[in-house]
Amino acid sequence: MEPQKVTYFTEISLMMFGFGDSHKPNPETVRYVETIVLKQLRTILNEATKYWDGKLLRGEELVFLMRKNKWKMRRFVKYLNLKHLISTRCESKLETQPKPVRPHELLDFIDRIDETGELTDLSELDEVVHQRQVRAGYISQALDDAKYLEFQKARCVSFNSRGTSRSANLEKLRAWVDPKKLINTSDIAMEVLAYYAYQTVAEMIDYALLVRMDAKRTGDPLSNLSGFHYTAAMFVGEHRFSGPNPDYSRVYSGQPPITVAEIREVMRRFNVSQAGRLTFGDKLPETSFLFAL
């Protein structure tokens, strides 16, 4: 009897809804997104093996790949801080005299590689996260109580959701990313991969919605070129820095699902060498085309 194929179709479908897609995403689009996420995770895993000891991938190697993007590293630091806070509260509930919970070991590693202090500086507004929150707010305001609860549940889904045990979640992810068990990965490394997978889905939906806004745009094709996250080579049309707010309240009632064609357009733009990157005639490294990094 052949082993059952590991899939994250249901989880990705819910995540796409939580990030702003229709409440019933296109199944073909979900499968396409799943394929892209899996391919990118395997690329990240292989890239990380350039820095490991050949015995065990511990997690630091995966985090090291993110060192050149301060915004994404800051989001990861916030994620680790939240995990630490949750662990602290859990300890305080279980023990009358709780022991101090040690900060996540990856935070120590990030501190060691953060020579300028910018990777752990959380004082600046993260425009990308802010826009995701604004989008979720627009959607929430348009929903009744029952649909709002459904939307919030979708926003809580991840590749490491709490519905099952932590070990079961990590083993499922291992079987999905590395079914032949070619790389020995620690649980912490798998948690980092789960985070990368989640952020990959989030960015793809961000970009797909901007592709849709570009398609509806009229006027001067060279206007609205500003932006530090979505570069001019990626999106030259109307986006979050200008123009009227899109009607995200239609997500539940009338917005058509994101199509495969829109995701393909995202990938086409994302895989084009973008402006502002100094390559001195060399090809961009493969990690430049990974959403999570």
Side-chain angles (χ1 to χ4, degrees):
M1 183 177 179
E2 294 184 2
Q4 186 176 4
K5 182 181 178 181
V6 179
T7 179
Y8 281 91
F9 180 90
T10 301
E11 292 89 341
I12 291 176
S13 180
L14 289 170
M15 279 185 266
M16 289 172 64
F17 169 40
F19 287 125
D21 194 4
S22 166
H23 71 293
K24 291 183 178 179
N26 184 336
E28 292 299 319
T29 306
V30 176
R31 280 188 279 270
Y32 187 44
V33 169
E34 183 179 22
T35 300
I36 295 171
V37 173
L38 178 57
K39 181 179 180 181
Q40 296 219 351
L41 288 186
R42 287 175 174 170
T43 301
I44 290 172
L45 199 58
N46 289 328
E47 189 71 17
T49 58
K50 295 178 180 179
Y51 308 102
W52 74 327
D53 59 8
K55 299 177 181 179
L56 178 67
L57 198 70
R58 298 171 298 174
E60 290 92 341
E61 302 90 344
L62 291 164
V63 176
F64 186 71
L65 298 176
M66 201 170 20
R67 69 194 183 282
K68 296 181 180 179
N69 193 315
K70 70 176 183 179
W71 290 105
K72 294 184 179 181
M73 184 67 86
R74 287 173 180 177
R75 281 171 223 152
F76 185 62
V77 169
K78 287 183 179 180
Y79 166 77
L80 293 179
N81 285 333
L82 180 59
K83 285 179 66 69
H84 171 57
L85 178 61
I86 294 174
S87 298
T88 304
R89 290 185 175 180
C90 290
E91 287 288 333
S92 63
K93 289 181 180 180
L94 293 175
E95 300 181 17
T96 54
Q97 294 182 339
K99 300 177 183 178
V101 179
R102 183 177 177 274
H104 200 290
E105 62 187 80
L106 289 179
L107 288 173
D108 293 336
F109 173 74
I110 295 172
D111 283 334
R112 292 199 301 272
I113 66 173
D114 187 14
E115 297 180 355
T116 63
E118 66 177 2
L119 300 181
T120 54
D121 180 10
L122 306 181
S123 61
E124 292 184 75
L125 175 66
D126 189 330
E127 285 281 352
V128 175
V129 173
H130 174 68
Q131 286 301 316
R132 289 175 188 168
Q133 293 170 341
V134 169
R135 186 162 67 229
Y138 279 127
I139 296 172
S140 299
Q141 292 172 14
L143 305 180
D144 59 30
D145 291 346
K147 293 178 180 178
Y148 173 78
L149 289 175
E150 185 179 342
F151 177 62
Q152 290 304 315
K153 287 180 180 178
R155 294 191 68 206
C156 293
V157 173
S158 71
F159 288 84
N160 197 17
S161 297
R162 300 178 188 171
T164 55
S165 68
R166 174 176 176 269
S167 59
N169 284 330
L170 298 182
E171 283 306 315
K172 178 181 178 181
L173 188 60
R174 274 194 185 93
W176 190 53
V177 177
D178 187 20
K180 295 183 179 180
K181 300 181 180 179
L182 299 176
I183 302 173
N184 187 20
T185 52
S186 68
D187 286 351
I188 291 178
M190 295 312 300
E191 288 182 349
V192 177
L193 272 184
Y195 172 83
Y196 282 161
Y198 180 82
Q199 291 298 324
T200 299
V201 176
E203 294 234 352
M204 290 181 71
I205 300 307
D206 287 344
Y207 288 139
L209 293 173
L210 289 174
V211 164
R212 179 169 291 182
M213 292 172 67
D214 273 358
K216 296 179 179 179
R217 186 184 168 280
T218 58
D220 181 7
L222 299 181
S223 65
N224 306 316
L225 292 178
S226 63
F228 63 86
H229 181 75
Y230 305 113
T231 68
M234 180 74 186
F235 293 101
V236 298
E238 187 174 351
H239 49 64
R240 58 194 170 86
F241 292 105
S242 61
N245 289 320
D247 185 10
Y248 291 118
S249 65
R250 296 180 62 243
V251 164
Y252 212 99
S253 59
Q255 174 175 291
I258 292 172
T259 64
V260 172
E262 287 170 327
I263 296 296
R264 283 178 176 161
E265 175 62 12
V266 168
M267 298 306 297
R268 185 193 69 79
R269 298 188 190 191
F270 197 75
N271 289 319
V272 170
S273 298
Q274 297 184 17
R277 298 186 181 183
L278 297 178
T279 62
F280 301 101
D282 296 329
K283 291 184 178 180
L284 286 170
E286 194 169 15
T287 52
S288 295
F289 307 112
L290 299 175
F291 289 101
L293 304 181

